[in-house]
Amino acid sequence: MRSDNVKVGTQQAPHRSLFNALGFTQEEMKKPMVGIVSSYNEIVPGHMNLDKIVDAVRLGVAEAGGVPVVFPAIAVCDGIAMGHIGMKYSLVTRDLIADSTECMALAHQFDALVMVPNCDKNVPGLLMAAARINVPTVFVSGGPMLAGHVKGEKRSLSSMFEAVGSHAAGTITDEELLEFEEKTCPTCGSCSGMYTANSMNCLTEALGMGLRGNGTIPAVYSERIKLAKHAGMAVMNLLEKNIRPRDIMTKDAILNALTVDMALGCSTNSMLHLPAIAHEVGFDFDIAFANEISEKTPNVCHLAPAGPTYMEDLNEAGGVYAVMKELADIGLLHTDCMTVTGETIGENIKDAVNKNTDVIRTVENPYSKTGGLAVLKGNLAPDGSVVKRSAVVEEMMVHEGPARVFECEEDAIAAIKGGKIVAGDVVVIRYEGPKGGPGMREMLNPTSAIAGMGLGSSVALITDGRFSGASRGASIGHVSPEAAVGGPIALVEEGDIISIDIPNMKLDVKVSDEEMEARKAKWQPREPKVTGGYLSRYREMVTSGNRGAILEVCEGKH
């Protein structure tokens, strides 16, 4: 056992004295030590129930013969952090989570781990850590929130943000806005649509790192507690069989996750997180893979914000396994990939059933024959940009319009709510990328304002920042190279005509190469928005969005 490094031998007598201080018994000292990474806190709605999940995992580990030991991971609520300086601290926590978990797990020599995340950056951060540490590991999340109900219709957080835009446009009253406020988020759990948290939790099943139902069983269901107990038992089985994360998260498994991503219509943030996870296992993930897989993967789900169904509906319809079965039946998955059950993907999904073809359409009757995401390239985004194609209305799939250029998110929101953006415009928000932000803020406020103002079918938004999974419409993010490093988005001028062609994966500004070169020659880097603290260090090390905003040591930096 790895933990023997801190428990066995004369040299380890001081270590044992410290375990004695922790209350370890002699019997426990002889058993495997399983770290439970708890993202529990009292500020994130998706995490407020994780104490109960962790307790259930502890029971499962102990019942299967291990010694559970809990240690923490941080978490940011993207909804609460949205629209102010707090959002600069969202994406950056992914690497803090991975780094701190690696430190804790290796410093204390745990034999195995159970990761208990829920919201946006915790899941990918802990997947990255699992790949680095490479001891037997199982994921069990806190589960999704139930949908809210307003005026007899199911609602979610995206509805709430769009209601603010509707209120600004004068189409709903103060009282109606208050009803949304009080009823949109009715329970604990990750917000109820196919936003980033739920996208990544679903993809843990596709990767093979989570048990069946990890992505979809609602947070308030007792079935979630049972799942957590089984996760604790499962990690002991993995330990016995010596099945590790790098045995599971192979290149084929990551391609499986990308395929399931396309079928589900996941958040564009998955195009940041899957490359970062792949990087940890030594797979150079070019986001252009997305188009290759998208071209052959039908989009079979339209969960909020793309459509009227929610995570609870996907769960009742058969969950992620039912979606995977649809894909496997037409040969789109690598079914021989190993999973945390100790069996392959193919063995796991062989009995899965699609129980509601209105929620999970069959591959013969998809929403579209192509996947939910697309990577667009062109002279405005030579290294790529990302759009949630499944959440774009048909009339905006191809669009040309004048650029309305803003140097930060706040200025764009003021213009949208002030009625200065009109049908046909293309809003460009730049210097919000990984380096330029720094931190690559999500743009849920401007996309929601556009939708709420009734412009969702006539106005596009382009940014080197990113979008919440709750965003919908012609919202194109991750434009790379970003403005802060002199990418073409930094050279766009007010009134330039921007051409968007999602079916043909093109994003261009209609300006000659000669003019763009002339503008480039005059361009000067901006002074950093942040000059101290963690964000300053992050800015120096972070790469572009097309590479997953991974961190690299810069040459000449110490």
Side-chain angles (χ1 to χ4, degrees):
M1 292 188 297
R2 181 185 293 233
S3 62
D4 286 350
N5 292 330
V6 293
K7 294 189 302 186
V8 176
T10 304
Q11 289 296 325
Q12 280 65 42
H15 304 69
R16 289 193 296 274
S17 72
L18 294 169
F19 281 107
N20 185 61
L22 290 168
F24 271 56
T25 66
Q26 288 298 316
E27 291 82 2
E28 287 175 317
M29 292 290 285
K30 297 172 184 176
K31 295 178 180 180
M33 189 166 64
V34 179
I36 303 174
V37 186
S38 171
S39 298
Y40 169 76
N41 63 51
E42 296 182 341
I43 189 63
V44 183
H47 290 229
M48 61 182 286
N49 66 319
L50 293 191
D51 54 341
K52 296 177 177 59
I53 302 298
V54 167
D55 286 345
V57 172
R58 291 171 65 125
L59 287 171
V61 168
E63 185 172 330
V67 179
V69 181
V70 179
F71 64 89
I74 63 169
V76 164
C77 176
D78 277 16
I80 294 174
M82 193 71 65
H84 55 90
I85 191 174
M87 182 45 71
K88 294 179 184 289
Y89 287 91
S90 171
L91 178 61
V92 305
T93 64
R94 184 187 72 185
D95 296 275
L96 281 173
I97 291 160
D99 293 348
S100 60
T101 302
E102 174 193 354
C103 292
M104 287 292 289
L106 295 180
H108 300 102
Q109 293 291 283
F110 289 103
D111 297 298
L113 297 167
V114 180
M115 307 293 198
V116 187
N118 208 29
C119 290
D120 298 24
K121 310 311 164 299
N122 299 81
V123 186
L126 290 178
L127 284 165
M128 291 162 66
R132 291 182 200 172
I133 300 160
N134 203 36
V135 298
T137 302
V138 175
F139 275 68
V140 57
S141 76
M145 184 184 292
L146 293 178
H149 290 81
V150 180
K151 299 186 185 304
E153 294 185 15
K154 287 185 177 182
R155 299 289 188 174
S156 61
L157 185 64
S158 54
S159 310
M160 180 70 252
F161 275 88
E162 289 178 15
V164 174
S166 298
H167 183 264
T171 56
I172 66 172
T173 65
D174 291 349
E175 292 74 19
E176 288 172 317
L177 182 64
L178 180 61
E179 185 178 5
F180 272 94
E181 184 179 329
E182 292 180 338
K183 295 181 178 179
T184 295
C185 298
T187 72
C188 62
S190 47
C191 297
S192 56
M194 188 54 80
Y195 310 148
T196 307
N198 292 326
S199 294
M200 294 309 301
N201 280 323
C202 286
L203 294 185
T204 61
E205 293 188 54
L207 279 169
M209 292 297 293
L211 298 176
R212 181 176 191 168
N214 183 56
T216 60
I217 297 170
V220 295
Y221 283 14
S222 297
E223 189 181 354
R224 175 65 56 178
I225 301 297
K226 296 179 184 178
L227 181 74
K229 291 176 182 176
H230 284 134
M233 298 174 194
V235 80
M236 297 304 295
N237 180 52
L238 292 181
L239 183 59
E240 181 181 347
K241 294 180 176 180
N242 195 29
I243 298 172
R244 302 172 182 235
R246 289 183 205 164
D247 300 322
I248 295 171
M249 288 192 287
T250 61
K251 176 179 178 179
D252 283 349
I254 290 167
L255 294 178
N256 278 348
L258 183 54
T259 300
V260 173
D261 182 323
M262 293 297 172
L264 286 171
C266 289
S267 164
T268 52
N269 280 315
S270 63
M271 287 295 98
L272 286 173
H273 300 322
L274 286 176
I277 295 161
H279 177 72
E280 297 292 345
V281 298
F283 169 32
D284 186 12
F285 186 116
D286 184 334
I287 62 170
F289 286 139
N291 289 342
E292 183 181 332
I293 288 181
S294 181
E295 284 304 297
K296 59 185 179 182
T297 306
N299 175 228
V300 297
C301 293
H302 263 194
L303 286 93
T309 53
Y310 295 80
M311 296 306 297
E312 62 204 65
D313 302 313
L314 178 59
N315 187 62
E316 295 302 318
V320 177
Y321 274 25
V323 174
M324 293 173 72
K325 183 67 162 56
E326 289 281 350
L327 300 174
D329 284 348
I330 57 172
L332 292 182
L333 293 184
H334 299 279
T335 55
D336 57 348
C337 291
M338 181 50 62
T339 75
V340 293
T341 66
E343 297 185 324
T344 65
I345 287 286
E347 291 168 321
N348 286 348
I349 67 174
K350 66 180 186 298
D351 297 324
V353 176
N354 184 350
K355 300 175 183 177
N356 187 338
T357 55
D358 290 330
V359 176
I360 305 171
R361 288 196 176 181
T362 65
V363 291
E364 293 82 20
N365 181 38
Y367 284 100
S368 66
K369 293 181 179 179
T370 52
L373 299 180
V375 173
L376 313 184
K377 291 189 175 185
N379 71 346
L380 188 51
D383 293 337
S385 61
V386 182
V387 63
K388 189 170 184 176
R389 172 164 49 184
S390 60
V392 179
V393 295
E394 185 62 34
E395 52 266 43
M396 290 299 289
M397 296 294 280
V398 177
H399 178 76
E400 283 192 3
R404 304 297 309 280
V405 182
F406 301 93
E407 310 299 312
C408 66
E409 175 187 4
E410 288 82 358
D411 290 350
I413 293 170
I416 295 165
K417 291 186 175 179
K420 296 179 181 178
I421 302 300
V422 299
D425 283 348
V426 178
V427 176
V428 177
I429 306 177
R430 61 192 180 192
Y431 293 98
E432 290 285 8
K435 286 184 181 293
M440 203 178 188
R441 289 195 287 181
E442 286 186 342
M443 303 288 172
L444 180 55
N445 277 336
T447 60
S448 298
I450 287 169
M453 296 286 284
L455 297 171
S457 60
S458 59
V459 169
L461 195 156
I462 295 172
T463 182
D464 52 8
R466 62 195 177 95
F467 295 109
S468 165
S471 293
R472 62 187 177 98
S475 304
I476 301 166
H478 310 193
V479 170
S480 301
E482 62 173 295
V485 298
I489 192 172
L491 312 178
V492 175
E493 295 181 359
E494 187 82 7
D496 285 349
I497 300 300
I498 291 177
S499 172
I500 300 165
D501 186 346
I502 295 173
N504 290 304
M505 286 81 169
K506 297 289 290 180
L507 179 63
D508 292 296
V509 56
K510 290 195 159 184
V511 174
S512 69
D513 293 344
E514 293 77 13
E515 174 62 17
M516 291 295 278
E517 285 297 325
R519 293 180 187 181
K520 176 72 173 178
K522 297 176 183 176
W523 177 81
Q524 294 291 326
R526 299 290 179 93
E527 286 296 318
K529 295 177 184 177
V530 176
T531 56
Y534 179 65
L535 286 179
S536 179
R537 283 178 279 140
Y538 180 86
R539 185 190 68 242
E540 293 295 334
M541 298 175 69
V542 71
T543 62
S544 190
N546 69 298
R547 297 187 58 202
I550 61 172
L551 301 186
E552 289 185 338
V553 177
C554 300
E555 291 185 13
K557 300 291 182 181
H558 300 283

